[in-house]
Every structure is written in C-alpha cells, then in structure tokens.
Amino acid sequence: MKTVIVVHGGVWAIPDMLAEASVAGVKNAAQAGNAILRNGGTATDAVEKAVRYLEDDPTFDADHVMLTDRGASMFAEHIGIPVANDLVTELERKDWEQSNSYPDGVKKFFNTQWSHDTIGAVALDSLGNVACATSTGEIRNKMVGRVRDSPIIGSGGYADNRSGAVSCTGHRESILKVTLARLILFHMEQGKSATAAASLQYMGERVKGCGGAIVVSSTGDWAASFTTPRMAWASIKEDVLHYGLNPKEDFTERLK
C-alpha cells in the first residue's frame, strides 16, 4: 500500500506577509510526517509528528473554541459569571460515599440507580433555526482533568440548520469515539428519519457503549432513544406533550 499524508494549516484569510511562511510550514510538516511513513511508521505517529511541527511553528495558531481549567475560570471571571460555591447535593454526596471506587467498570454505573446528572435539550424555532444544549455533573470517580463528550462539538451535542440538532448522554468515552451527535445528523442527512438516525446500535456494536440521544430535525421530526435501563425524556410539538422513562414508553398529554 502506498503511503499518503495530507496536512493543512487552517482556513482563514491568510495575509500576503504570511503566505510564503504558511506554504513552507505545511510543506515541512508534510515531509516530517512522510518521513515516519517511509520508515514503516504508523499513520498515528505520522500525523502526530506533522501536527507537532505545526504547533511549534509560530506562523500557525488556533482561535478560541473551548476553554478548560484555569483559562476557563479566568474568562468566566472576566465576563462576570458568579462563582458557584457548592454544586454537591446531599444525594450526590451519599452516592459518592457508596461508590468509593470504580472496580466494576462503567456498566455498573449505568445499570444501577445511582444518578448521572446529564441533562440536554434540542429545539427548532419558528424561524427554522435549531439548537442543542448539553450539561453534565458527570459520573463519579473520574480522573482530575478529564474532558468528557459534553463540550466536544460533534460528540455530546451538535446542531446544523440544514439537518437538525442532537444532545447525547451516556458513556462519555464511547460517545467521543464515534462522535455520536454528528454521526446521528449524518444519518439524517442521508435521508433517515429522526427515529432511525437516533439508533445507538452502532455505538453498542463498535465500542460496546451505551447511552441515549434526543434529536430534532430541521422539519420538526423528533426522537428520543436510549440503550440504558431508563432515560427521562419529554417533547412538545403542536401542543402535545410526549414523555417517557422506561424503554418503549411514549405517553401523551394534550396541553391547554
């Protein structure tokens, strides 16, 4: 098999004064990665080498999309967001004392009555715009500094006016591995209904992950799907409230 590597330095209105350096940078990065491939190295090592080269080149940089750790706290303080002093509820404290460790793996947490505290919403407005929101208190005993799927665009949530919006919940690493939210919208772009697109079968088969997703299409088609024992969900469309908790439940109420 012939080896191939492709490198980019970002799409933006590159000024003339950076044009030559930008071209030279990506060429050098491509050669650095190609050297790995020619010596029998893996594609993973090759792209890592190329990207590290670009990271060290002052011609290239990144714009802000996601902030974490101290940077996020500094930004929040700068724009006046109040500090939350205590986000631990009594129920959470008791559950934490019971769990204590993580010896039985993720499935134990998703098949017990311990809460997981992820919430999400998707919506379609009268102008045809869609939006998603995902927020989480997260599973217990996670490592310090762990970034879950919720803030990762395309994993915990994704919205595109041309297709729809998705919010996901479940085993975070599995959702990250299959970029679940974007995968669901891709299926919708291929013509699948919200219900068919929201199938979590692929994630279960590919990475043994369980979870749930809520979906709304740009035309108002919606779905709520999950592979865990329960997921509380609700939807309102044309003054009809749908809701459920257990598998295959779909209760309805007409709103006044």
Side-chain angles (χ1 to χ4, degrees):
M1 181 71 68
K2 293 183 178 180
T3 62
V4 179
I5 186 167
V6 183
V7 172
H8 77 79
V11 289
W12 61 298
I14 300 172
D16 290 341
M17 66 178 186
L18 292 179
E20 184 175 345
S22 296
V23 173
V26 293
K27 288 169 63 178
N28 290 334
Q31 291 180 63
N34 186 57
I36 299 293
L37 296 175
R38 291 185 61 183
N39 290 322
T42 67
T44 299
D45 290 338
V47 295
E48 181 180 351
K49 182 71 173 182
V51 170
R52 283 183 179 274
Y53 185 96
L54 293 176
E55 287 175 340
D56 292 336
D57 188 330
T59 305
F60 305 97
D61 64 3
D63 298 324
H64 304 307
V65 172
M66 180 174 64
L67 298 173
T68 62
D69 199 58
R70 288 178 295 173
S73 297
M74 291 169 61
F75 177 70
E77 182 180 355
H78 177 72
I79 62 176
I81 295 179
V83 176
N85 294 316
D86 190 1
L87 296 176
V88 181
T89 65
E90 187 59 30
L91 176 61
E92 279 295 313
R93 192 183 303 279
K94 289 181 179 179
D95 284 350
W96 177 80
E97 290 172 352
Q98 289 182 48
S99 63
N100 241 353
S101 62
Y102 205 14
D104 297 325
V106 171
K107 287 187 177 180
K108 175 179 178 180
F109 285 84
F110 284 95
N111 289 284
T112 64
Q113 294 181 351
W114 293 338
S115 58
H116 304 293
D117 302 321
T118 298
I119 56 175
V122 295
L124 169 68
D125 67 24
S126 61
L127 297 178
N129 296 312
V130 296
C132 72
T134 305
S135 178
T136 183
E138 255 309 318
I139 201 167
R140 286 162 207 87
N141 298 314
K142 57 186 178 291
M143 291 183 66
V144 174
R146 172 178 177 257
V147 177
R148 67 283 290 173
D149 69 296
S150 297
I152 303 300
I153 299 170
S155 292
Y158 199 80
D160 186 335
N161 280 347
R162 293 185 177 183
S163 49
V166 182
S167 178
C168 301
T169 180
H171 181 216
R172 303 306 180 183
E173 277 66 24
S174 295
I175 293 173
L176 283 166
K177 287 175 182 177
V178 301
T179 55
L180 183 59
R182 187 64 187 91
L183 177 65
I184 290 172
L185 285 190
F186 171 76
H187 288 156
M188 293 174 69
E189 290 166 0
Q190 302 306 303
K192 288 188 176 183
S193 66
T195 299
S199 170
L200 302 172
Q201 181 179 352
Y202 175 80
M203 185 171 74
E205 294 175 347
R206 191 71 180 85
V207 294
K208 310 301 181 185
C210 56
I214 53 174
V215 186
V216 64
S217 74
S218 56
T219 60
D221 185 24
W222 66 271
S225 176
F226 58 98
T227 53
T228 53
R230 283 181 165 179
M231 182 181 80
W233 64 270
S235 171
I236 297 176
K237 180 180 180 181
E238 298 177 351
D239 294 326
V240 177
L241 169 67
H242 292 258
Y243 62 96
L245 176 65
N246 297 302
K248 298 182 180 181
E249 282 184 351
D250 185 357
F251 301 111
T252 60
E253 294 180 11
R254 181 163 292 277
L255 303 177
K256 297 181 180 178

